[in-house]
Amino acid sequence: DAGITQSPRHKVTETGTPVTLRCHQTENHRYMYWYRQDPGHGLRLIHYSYGVKDTDKGEVSDGYSVSRSKTEDFLLTLESATSSQTSVYFCAIRDTPENSPLHFGNGTRLTVT
Amino acid sequence: GNSVTQMEGPVTLSEEAFLTINCTYTATGYPSLFWYVQYPGEGLQLLLKATKADDKGSNKGFEATYRKETTSFHLEKGSVQVSDSAVYFCALSSPSGGYNKLIFGAGTRLAVHP
């Protein structure tokens, strides 16, 4: 299994509070991704990174920011959590060759009350 | 834009039945196509992939053929087992965007009973 660790695995927070989710990889892969999974929507890309300090937006980036200061860590921050951000968040990594598959972490279940 | 459409679930089958989960796509150029599987409480795992037209991906008894003429990548298995119960996602990545953005279908839940 790809070495991907997401933390925390579960979090409950209140509306308006900041939240940071962490993804840590031990594979030295260049590409890292944050997806959210919601019923009926499959997985939707929030942000991704193609190198240290290099990031780009996905299709549902509003309300989220990311940072990647080291190859192994990719942080997702909700500056002011809202109930619509209640979801399961998955981190994924990908090796450099084109068409390489994504490898996923086990997810973080976030509940915003 | 690029998109993936999967048949809605849940799909409920008896053990040893034949499985088909339909997937069609819209994409510019020549995308790569994937099937991922998600077991309860886990992340997605790659099941199989195909990178060009007429390629057949296969793994663990599952197969899917990249059909450019019908823009489809249907997942099949000849004899399902209870352990195949999971959610299956069809996905594509496209040369536009440098293969960076994997686009997923909504997922199809499969339930296999003894």
Side-chain angles (χ1 to χ4, degrees), chain B residues 1 17-18 21 24 29 44 55-56 60 66 68 72 79 84 99:
Chain B
F18 185 86
I21 299 178
T24 58
L44 279 69
D55 267 3
K56 177 185 284 188
K60 300 180 181 180
Y66 187 163
K68 189 164 179 61
S72 65
S79 176
D84 293 327
Y99 295 98

Side-chain angles (χ1 to χ4, degrees), chain B:
Chain B
N2 299 335
S3 66
V4 175
T5 303
Q6 290 181 235
M7 63 186 290
E8 289 189 21
V11 174
T12 303
L13 295 173
S14 298
E15 205 165 25
E16 299 183 1
F18 185 86
L19 168 70
T20 299
I21 299 178
N22 291 337
C23 171
T24 58
Y25 68 89
T26 301
T28 55
Y30 299 91
S32 295
L33 302 173
F34 305 83
W35 276 102
Y36 283 81
V37 59
Q38 183 181 33
Y39 299 101
E42 298 183 8
L44 279 69
Q45 304 172 25
L46 178 68
L47 182 58
L48 53 84
K49 71 175 186 179
T51 58
K52 60 183 186 295
D54 299 325
D55 267 3
K56 177 185 284 188
S58 61
N59 186 26
K60 300 180 181 180
F62 291 90
E63 294 182 339
T65 301
Y66 187 163
R67 302 286 190 198
K68 189 164 179 61
E69 65 275 13
T70 55
T71 63
S72 65
F73 192 54
H74 304 322
L75 182 68
E76 297 181 336
K77 187 176 185 183
S79 176
V80 294
Q81 305 300 311
V82 172
S83 57
D84 293 327
S85 299
V87 182
Y88 293 82
F89 292 90
C90 185
L92 72 82
S93 68
S94 172
S96 60
Y99 295 98
N100 280 330
K101 299 180 182 180
L102 197 64
I103 296 170
F104 288 86
T108 302
R109 182 176 300 277
L110 170 66
V112 181
H113 56 84

Side-chain angles (χ1 to χ4, degrees), chain A residues 3-78:
Chain A
I4 308 170
T5 304
Q6 291 187 232
S7 58
R9 291 296 313 278
H10 302 272
K11 186 168 182 66
V12 180
T13 192
E14 293 184 349
T15 298
T17 60
V19 177
T20 296
L21 308 183
R22 180 179 183 242
C23 178
H24 178 78
Q25 63 147 328
T26 58
E27 305 296 318
N28 201 36
H29 285 348
R30 177 181 177 187
Y31 297 94
M32 299 185 74
Y33 304 80
W34 278 107
Y35 283 86
R36 60 177 289 174
Q37 182 177 26
D38 304 288
H41 291 279
L43 275 78
R44 292 179 292 176
L45 181 64
I46 305 171
H47 283 280
Y48 68 97
S49 169
Y50 47 96
V52 173
K53 300 191 189 305
D54 292 323
T55 65
D56 202 355
K57 296 179 179 180
E59 60 181 309
V60 290
S61 59
D62 287 349
Y64 302 95
S65 63
V66 290
S67 66
R68 191 168 178 200
S69 58
K70 299 184 291 184
T71 298
E72 56 266 35
D73 289 325
F74 192 34
L75 304 180
L76 176 71
T77 298
L78 291 66

